[in-house]
Amino acid sequence: MTDSTIVVNKEYDLICVGGGIMSATLALLTKILQPEIKILILERLDQVALESSAAWNNAGTGHSALCELNYCPEQKDGTVNIKKAITICEQFEISKQFWAYLVKHNFIKDPSTFIKAVPHYSWVTGKENSNYLEQRYKAMKDHFMFDTIEFTKDPEQMKTWFPLIMTDRANDEMMAASRIDRGTELNYGALTKQLFYILETEFDTPVHCNMEVQDIDPDETVAWSVEVKDLRTKEKQYLDAKHVFIGAGGGSLLLLQKVEIDEKEGYGGFPVSGSWLVCKNEDIIAQHNAKVYSKAGIGDPPMSTPHLDTRYINGKKELLFGPFAGFSPKFLKEGSNLDLFKSIQSDNLQSMLGAFWHNLPLTTYLIEQVSMSFEDRMDSLRKFIKDAKDEDWEMMIAGQRVQIIKKDDYEGGKLQFGTEMISSKDGSITCLLGASPGASTAASITLQVLEKAFPEILSSIDGVKKLKEMVPMYETEIDSLLFDKCLKETKEALKL
C-alpha cells in the first residue's frame, strides 16, 4: 500500500473512506465492472485491515446462519422463524461466489490463505433449549439451503462431533446439537489485504494510508469536496469526488454526521468492545475442529452468543472462546475516548435516550460483563470445556463495534443489530453503519451500494453480463438447482 502524496484537487469518480473489507470489496467490484473509473481509497492508520477486519478483532465465522441461533427466533407458538437465516445465508453465498470468481481469474492464487472448511455446530443444554433446537432443525431441514443439517440428542454422536466439549459430561445431562458440515472459517484481515493488493497491482488503485478524512462538503462543480489531513505532515488537502463511500467501521457515524444530507438525522451509535479467551495449549487446540455456537442467556443481546471457535490466524490453528462484551466510549479500537460524547447531537438525542431506556437489560449485561474477573470468564468457558485450566488460557482484547441507534416512532429510539446503508437521495454519498454479520456479507452489501451509487453500471448490458459471471445468485430467484450448482462451484474454486 502506498503512502505517496495525493495530488491536490484531483477529481475522482469515487473516494472510499476506510481501509477495511467493505471499501476493498466495493472498489474491486466497481473496477472489475468498469475498469476506467477513478477510485481513491483513504485509511487513517498506517496499514489496511487493522480495525474490524483484523483477524483477532472478529469471530472469523463465515456468517451463513448455519450455527448462529440468534438468526432463528422462536415464535410465541413454539415454531422457529428462519426468514433471517435464509437472507444471511444467501448474502454469504454471494460473497463466496465473488471470492471464487477472483480465484478462477487468477487474481487470488491460494484461497486457503483466507478461507478454510470448518464444520458449524449449534449446541444447547437443558430441556427447553433442546426443544427449541429441534424445532429449528425441523424448520431448516425443509429448506433447500439447509437440507443437509443433522440433529442429535445422543451424547455418543456429539462425542464424535466435538469431543473436547463432551469430555467428563454426565450421561443424564440434557443436551442437543445440530451440524452443517459446509461451514467456513475466515481470516478477513488476510482477505482484505489481498483485495487491496489486487486493486493496486491489477487496477492501478492504491490505498493512501495515514490519511484522515475530516469533513465532506457539497461542492458547486462536483458532488463533494473531501477534506483530508496527512497525519504525518499535518498538511490538509481538498479532493473532489462525484461519489463518496464511508466504510470506516465504527468511525463511519462521526463522519456521516458532518455530511449535509437529511438522511443522516436521528442516527446514533452504541459502542461495544469485546474480548476472547485464547487457548495457549497446543494439545487442547488439536482436539477441537469446529465452530460451536450456543444460545444467548435469557434477556442477553445477540452479541452475547457464546461460541468455541477453531480459527486459523497467520498460518496457525488457534482456539478461541467468547466473546465477552465490554464497554468503551471509543468508536474504533484506535479511536478517542470522546467518540461517544461527540456523536450525541440535537437530532439524535431523542433516539439515544429512547434506545437507552428501552435497552436497560443491555446496560445491565454490559456492567456484568465488564465486572467479570478472569476466573468468572473461565467459569463461563467451563460450561463448554468441563476441565478447562486457568494456565491454558489467556485474555485477548478484540475489536470495537458500534451498534446502530435509529429513530423509532414508538420508543423514540431503537438499538438495531446488523449492517445498514444510509445514502443521499441521488446516491452520490453512501455510508455503512453497524456490525455483525458485516464482513461475511460484504459482497452483497456493497452491491447494494453500487445499486444506489452507480445504477448505470449495474443496468448496462456489459455490467449485467459481468455480474452474472461473478455472482450468479445476484438479483435472481434462487431455487434448489441454482443453489446446489453454486455451492458446488464455490466449493471447488475455494478448495473447501
Side-chain angles (χ1 to χ4, degrees):
M1 310 308 150
T2 183
D3 286 326
S4 58
T5 304
I6 304 170
V7 178
V8 182
N9 294 326
K10 186 172 181 181
E11 184 179 316
Y12 293 91
D13 296 303
L14 171 65
I15 289 180
C16 296
V17 183
I21 185 101
M22 294 300 181
S23 288
T25 304
L26 176 64
L28 189 51
L29 269 168
T30 308
K31 290 294 282 188
I32 291 171
L33 291 169
Q34 194 167 317
E36 66 274 15
I37 203 164
K38 293 179 184 175
I39 299 177
L40 178 67
I41 300 155
L42 301 170
E43 166 57 45
R44 63 187 284 270
L45 300 179
D46 58 6
Q47 291 181 46
V48 298
L50 290 181
E51 280 283 352
S52 297
S53 300
W56 289 109
N57 289 348
N58 60 66
T61 302
H63 281 287
S64 42
L66 305 184
C67 60
E68 307 94 325
L69 300 180
N70 53 303
Y71 297 142
C72 299
E74 187 172 10
Q75 308 301 289
K76 288 182 180 178
D77 63 0
T79 59
V80 173
N81 187 336
I82 65 166
K83 186 177 179 182
K84 187 172 184 180
I86 293 167
T87 300
I88 299 294
C89 179
E90 181 182 332
Q91 289 179 326
F92 181 64
E93 290 305 323
I94 284 174
S95 288
K96 277 170 63 183
Q97 286 165 33
F98 177 54
W99 304 332
Y101 171 88
L102 297 176
V103 173
K104 289 174 189 173
H105 287 75
N106 214 30
F107 290 122
I108 291 177
K109 304 292 188 281
D110 181 7
S112 70
T113 53
F114 72 90
I115 188 169
K116 293 185 186 293
V118 173
H120 284 199
Y121 298 90
S122 303
W123 170 73
V124 296
T125 59
K127 184 177 180 181
E128 195 173 310
N129 287 338
S130 297
N131 290 340
Y132 158 77
L133 193 64
E134 188 166 11
Q135 292 303 313
R136 174 182 175 270
Y137 158 74
K138 289 174 180 176
M140 296 183 90
K141 186 73 175 173
D142 287 339
H143 195 280
F144 61 82
M145 288 187 183
F146 309 106
D147 58 9
T148 60
I149 190 170
E150 302 170 66
F151 174 82
T152 189
K153 291 182 179 178
D154 180 6
E156 294 304 315
Q157 178 66 71
M158 290 182 222
K159 285 177 184 176
T160 68
W161 284 358
F162 33 77
L164 187 61
I165 290 175
M166 295 304 293
T167 302
D168 294 336
R169 293 275 163 193
N171 290 331
D172 60 349
E173 187 174 353
M174 175 68 79
M175 291 177 289
S178 63
R179 158 191 162 111
I180 298 182
D181 65 0
R182 73 164 191 265
T184 53
E185 141 68 10
L186 269 294
N187 184 327
Y188 291 109
L191 172 62
T192 301
K193 288 173 183 176
Q194 289 190 58
L195 298 184
F196 280 126
Y197 180 77
I198 297 165
L199 279 162
E200 187 171 27
T201 57
E202 302 288 340
F203 295 98
D204 192 27
T205 306
V207 181
H208 293 267
C209 294
N210 299 293
M211 295 291 177
E212 183 174 66
V213 175
Q214 298 197 312
D215 203 358
I216 302 170
D217 290 314
D219 189 275
E220 292 178 3
T221 56
V222 70
W224 300 99
S225 175
V226 180
E227 181 184 322
V228 185
K229 181 180 180 180
D230 187 322
L231 296 178
R232 297 158 306 174
T233 66
K234 310 304 178 188
E235 178 189 358
K236 285 191 178 180
Q237 305 176 58
Y238 296 86
L239 307 171
D240 293 337
K242 294 176 184 174
H243 297 85
V244 176
F245 169 69
I246 305 173
S252 294
L253 177 63
L254 290 173
L255 189 53
L256 176 67
Q257 289 179 329
K258 296 180 180 180
V259 181
E260 295 171 29
I261 57 171
D262 295 335
E263 290 78 5
K264 70 177 182 181
E265 291 193 4
Y267 279 94
F270 187 86
V272 178
S273 61
S275 57
W276 304 104
L277 280 171
V278 180
C279 188
K280 301 185 288 182
N281 188 320
E282 297 294 335
D283 291 337
I284 295 171
I285 295 169
Q287 292 176 49
H288 190 75
N289 183 47
K291 291 186 177 289
V292 182
Y293 275 59
S294 195
K295 207 162 185 269
I298 296 170
D300 289 346
M303 73 182 80
S304 66
T305 304
H307 40 97
L308 184 65
D309 276 14
T310 293
R311 298 291 313 274
Y312 289 90
I313 299 175
N314 300 327
K316 183 177 179 293
K317 186 179 178 183
E318 304 280 2
L319 183 60
L320 278 66
F321 177 76
F324 297 96
F327 177 77
S328 163
K330 293 180 179 182
F331 278 7
L332 291 163
K333 199 171 181 179
E334 298 293 330
S336 164
N337 285 317
L338 298 175
D339 287 345
L340 175 59
F341 308 104
K342 286 180 182 176
S343 76
I344 300 171
Q345 301 186 351
S346 58
D347 70 84
N348 70 8
L349 182 59
Q350 185 179 354
S351 305
M352 299 283 279
L353 290 172
F356 173 77
W357 181 252
H358 290 281
N359 286 277
L360 290 176
L362 173 61
T363 307
T364 303
Y365 167 77
L366 288 175
I367 291 170
E368 290 171 351
Q369 290 274 294
V370 170
S371 62
M372 286 179 84
S373 65
F374 177 77
E375 192 55 39
D376 291 333
R377 290 177 165 91
M378 287 300 299
D379 285 342
S380 295
L381 171 61
R382 289 182 187 111
K383 293 174 184 175
F384 277 68
I385 305 175
K386 288 276 191 181
D387 63 348
K389 296 178 178 61
D390 290 5
E391 61 267 25
D392 291 332
W393 298 80
E394 63 183 345
M395 288 299 302
M396 178 174 283
I397 302 299
Q400 283 286 112
R401 299 288 185 270
V402 179
Q403 306 296 342
I404 304 166
I405 291 175
K406 58 194 294 189
K407 280 183 181 176
D408 182 83
D409 292 337
Y410 298 102
E411 298 180 0
K414 196 168 188 177
L415 188 67
Q416 181 172 305
F417 298 96
T419 307
E420 183 165 328
M421 179 182 73
I422 295 94
S423 74
S424 58
K425 288 185 178 67
D426 63 358
S428 63
I429 191 157
T430 49
C431 175
L432 292 183
L433 297 180
S436 183
S440 296
T441 58
S444 178
I445 291 167
T446 52
L447 280 168
Q448 293 173 31
V449 173
L450 273 173
E451 287 169 7
K452 194 71 182 177
F454 298 100
E456 69 280 4
I457 295 178
L458 297 189
S459 61
S460 68
I461 294 173
D462 193 39
V464 170
K465 185 180 176 183
K466 280 184 179 176
L467 261 182
K468 282 297 173 191
E469 184 186 357
M470 276 194 285
V471 281
M473 277 170 44
Y474 173 70
E475 291 290 279
T476 302
E477 190 170 332
I478 302 164
D479 58 21
S480 58
L481 288 175
L482 175 62
F483 187 76
D484 289 344
K485 179 175 180 286
C486 291
L487 264 189
K488 183 181 178 184
E489 289 176 356
T490 55
K491 181 179 179 180
E492 290 174 0
L494 298 174
K495 299 178 182 177
L496 299 173

